[in-house]
Structures are given as structure tokens and as C-alpha cells.
Amino acid sequence: MELFKYLEEYDYEQVIFCHDKNSGLKGIIAIHDTTLGPALGGTRMWTYDSEEEALVDALRLARGMTYKNAAAGLNLGGGKTVIIGDPKKDKSPELFRAFGRYIQGLAGRYITSVDVGTNTEDMDFIYMETDYVTGKSPEHGSAGSPSPATAYGVYLGIKASAKAAFGSDSLEGKTVAVQGVGSVAYTMCKYLHEEGANLIVTDINEEAVNRAVEDFGAKAVGTNEIYEVDCDIFAPCALGATINDDTIKQLKAKVIAGSANNQLKEERHGEILHEKGIIFAPDFVINSGGVINVADELNGYNKERAYKQVENIGLSLEKIFEISKEKNIPTQAAADHLAEERIASVQRSRSTFLTNELNPLSRLK
């Protein structure tokens, strides 16, 4: 991989390699863009097959956070960390404290939080070395788990998507096929059930399926059957890349809206959905409730204030659907446009300010 060529192509700002011999820390911090503010993005711990794979993942995820934070209306840029190691056996207080010292050395350019393979306890160890960390234990002023806020935002996003597809945001009587019933999706299902939606669920975890059947009267189907069921809304809430050539042929839903990341296997699959007239809620917009909730910790966490901002997810999606319709472009492209325009507007204002500051004659006008 030609690192600097890649950084230039996608306009990254900084990559930091973190190593601590005593604790075994091997980490990569990628900062994509800080136009809107400090980069915010979680710390992922994973057993990568190679160091290059870890680097590519960090870069990809950091860029994704730039778009997610911008589209969510947050005054934060995008960044991400990956730590190479097995989260089940390679964790230690020393490792996360060593990592915390690296974050402290960035003097606020990057703020981290929980992600795949890390939890609040790990953030507490990082907090021993730096204030630039969210997702800590509640006793340290944290919001706790971001899952409830994510679920609430996805629920509101489904309502906005339903309005675009059916003319009303009411979910009463609508059939929603839910792929994956983890902590976020379970809470989302609770909202859907309370509004009168009919649920069809699947999960590789039989216990999670049985819970949804018992609590919400959901109908259970096999993991491969979920794509072809008769439904109004398909909610991918498990793995990514589930919207692909094979599954698109099977789907009968008019709406695709769920909590999973990277739902489209390739960008062209968003174009196919657009051509078919299927409303797709871009995942980095609809599932941004968690990062919105976490970001509120930076101001001293207030749940009411945080959830009020989560409610803007529905409004953001409505705007994205309008752009998609007006420009006749896929909703994913419309979401990118919305995020990029917000960043560009700040860049333009800064450019104008600096030009005026550096030009003495401008002060005489």
C-alpha cells in the first residue's frame, strides 16, 4: 500500500502508529478531517490478519466517521483507532493506559470511545491518562451504553423512511423484517411493537429470537429466509454487505432501514435500489444516535438534550430523500452530498476569514 498516495486521494490529515513494548500495544489512530471540530471515533480491538489490513480498516472507518458526524450535525470531525490484538485475551489496564497517553499527546485533535472489541471498562483505563475519551462508566459522567440512543434514532429513521415510501410515518399494521436482534435491534423492536407494527425476526442467536417472539409476538424465520418474506420494511441490524446482488433479487420491501453498518456491499447496489424505487436509509445517518449521545458527554452529559438531537435523524433523512428525488440520485449519494456540503461551507467561511485577516486593506472597507 502506498500510504501517502492513499492519504492524498481521500484527503486524510494524520496517521499515528502507537507502540508500547511493556504492554504489547500496537495501535493505529487515523484522523481523516477536523474541519468541523476534533475528530471523534471509537477504538476497535481486533485480530487482524496483517498490519496492512489493520491500517486499511482504520483509514476506512475514520473517513466514515467524518461523514457520520457531519450528517448528524455534530461539530466534530472523523477519526478512528484500531488496536491489533485479541480482545478476549490481550487486554490489560497497562495497554489502555499506554494508549491513553498517545491520545493525550494529540492535545484534543482526537477523542475516542467504545467500538467493536472494547467497552466502558477499557475507556475507564484510558481516562486515567486523558480527558479526551467518551463512553466511560456512568460514575465518570458518561452516558453509559450508546445502544438505547442508537435504537431510538433507528426507530425514528424507519418512520421517516416509511413517510417517504408510503406517504405516512405511521407504522401501525406495517410488517417489518428484522435481520439480527441484538441489543440495539431489540430496543428498536420494542418501539415498533408499541406502535403496532408486525415483526418478522431472525438471528443466529436462538435465544435472541425467542426473546423477540415472546416479548413482541414476532414471527421467527431462518437466517436465509428473511430476505424473501412479505414485508413493507426490511431492517438490516446485523452484519454489513447484506444488500447485494443476491439479496436484492429476493427483497419485497419498499423500504430498507436498519442499524447495521455498511449495509450496501458496493456503491452500485444503492444505485440499483434507487432504480427499483426502494427507499434506502443510509446507514451512517440512521444509526448515528449512538455517536450523538456519546458526543453530548463533551458538554457534560444531559440525556434530554442528547435525545432531542437524536430526533433530528428523522429530519436529516427527510432532507436526504428530498435531495435524492430532486437530483435523481441514490439516497447514499444524497447523504454524502449533505455531509460534504456542510464541511465545504465551513471550509469556505474559514478561507474568507483568513483572507480578510491577512489583507490589511480589507479592514478599511
Side-chain angles (χ1 to χ4, degrees):
M1 178 183 184
E2 297 182 56
L3 180 56
F4 280 102
K5 185 176 181 180
Y6 188 93
L7 298 184
E8 183 179 359
E9 181 178 358
Y10 295 104
D11 203 20
Y12 286 83
E13 293 182 7
Q14 191 173 9
V15 179
I16 303 96
F17 293 88
C18 313
H19 175 254
D20 181 69
K21 183 178 179 179
N22 292 330
S23 66
L25 170 67
K26 294 180 180 178
I28 303 169
I29 302 172
I31 297 176
H32 177 248
D33 189 287
T34 58
T35 301
L36 298 179
L40 173 67
T43 294
R44 176 170 296 193
M45 189 170 188
W46 197 251
T47 52
Y48 293 96
D49 292 332
S50 67
E51 293 174 0
E52 182 171 343
E53 183 185 32
L55 173 60
V56 170
D57 200 32
L59 292 168
R60 178 181 61 83
L61 293 167
R63 187 165 180 259
M65 287 306 301
T66 294
Y67 281 79
K68 175 176 280 194
N69 293 339
L74 300 174
N75 293 317
L76 293 164
K80 205 77 170 187
T81 294
V82 300
I83 293 177
I84 301 172
D86 187 339
K88 295 180 180 178
K89 61 182 182 181
D90 294 332
K91 286 184 179 183
S92 70
E94 293 77 18
L95 182 146
F96 286 105
R97 291 191 67 169
F99 176 57
R101 291 192 288 275
Y102 275 99
I103 295 177
Q104 181 64 17
L106 291 170
R109 276 179 54 77
Y110 170 67
I111 303 163
T112 197
S113 190
V114 295
D115 201 274
V116 175
T118 60
N119 54 38
T120 55
E121 184 180 6
D122 304 326
M123 298 304 110
D124 286 347
F125 289 125
I126 293 173
Y127 183 53
M128 291 180 180
E129 302 290 343
T130 183
D131 289 332
Y132 303 117
V133 55
T134 60
K136 311 177 292 293
S137 299
E139 52 263 36
H140 295 307
S142 166
S145 171
S147 293
T150 303
Y152 182 53
V154 174
Y155 162 67
L156 295 176
I158 290 175
K159 286 178 69 65
S161 302
K163 183 179 180 180
F166 309 117
S168 169
D169 70 353
S170 173
L171 300 176
E172 185 174 1
K174 292 288 188 291
T175 298
V176 185
V178 183
Q179 182 186 44
V181 202
S183 59
V184 170
Y186 176 84
T187 304
M188 177 197 76
C189 285
K190 182 174 182 290
Y191 286 117
L192 297 174
H193 173 67
E194 289 174 349
E195 192 167 332
N198 304 309
L199 300 174
I200 302 173
V201 301
T202 193
D203 198 297
I204 58 174
N205 184 338
E206 189 176 345
E207 186 177 335
V209 171
N210 292 337
R211 186 184 180 198
V213 170
E214 182 177 343
D215 293 352
F216 310 128
K219 176 185 176 182
V221 299
T223 53
N224 293 325
E225 297 170 24
I226 194 69
Y227 300 108
E228 58 186 8
V229 299
D230 286 318
C231 64
D232 301 294
I233 299 163
F234 177 64
C237 298
L239 300 175
T242 55
I243 308 302
N244 52 55
D245 289 334
D246 293 331
T247 60
I248 288 176
K249 296 174 185 175
Q250 302 175 61
L251 290 171
K252 298 173 183 175
K254 294 296 184 184
V255 169
I256 298 175
S259 65
N261 288 311
N262 304 315
Q263 294 170 25
L264 301 176
K265 185 174 183 180
E266 298 175 31
E267 190 172 325
R268 66 183 179 85
H269 292 121
E271 297 171 359
I272 295 172
L273 295 178
H274 179 65
E275 290 169 1
K276 285 178 168 287
I278 297 173
I279 297 294
F280 172 65
D283 43 74
F284 70 82
V285 179
I286 194 173
N287 68 13
S288 62
V291 73
I292 292 171
N293 196 56
V294 162
D296 193 76
E297 294 180 29
L298 302 174
N299 301 311
Y301 184 66
N302 180 291
K303 183 176 180 180
E304 183 179 351
R305 180 180 61 204
Y307 272 62
K308 192 71 176 175
Q309 189 161 2
V310 171
E311 291 174 0
N312 289 330
I313 289 174
L315 298 176
S316 295
L317 283 171
E318 287 182 9
K319 185 178 291 186
I320 287 166
F321 297 146
E322 287 175 9
I323 294 172
S324 172
K325 188 174 182 179
E326 289 172 4
K327 297 181 177 291
N328 193 26
I329 57 175
T331 54
Q332 188 81 359
D336 288 348
H337 173 81
L338 187 69
E340 290 165 357
E341 179 54 35
R342 184 162 180 256
I343 294 169
S345 66
V346 173
Q347 288 174 331
R348 286 194 296 269
S349 67
R350 283 183 177 174
S351 177
T352 301
F353 174 79
L354 289 174
T355 299
N356 290 337
E357 282 295 297
L358 294 173
N359 181 8
L361 294 177
S362 68
R363 297 188 182 91
L364 301 177
K365 294 179 181 179

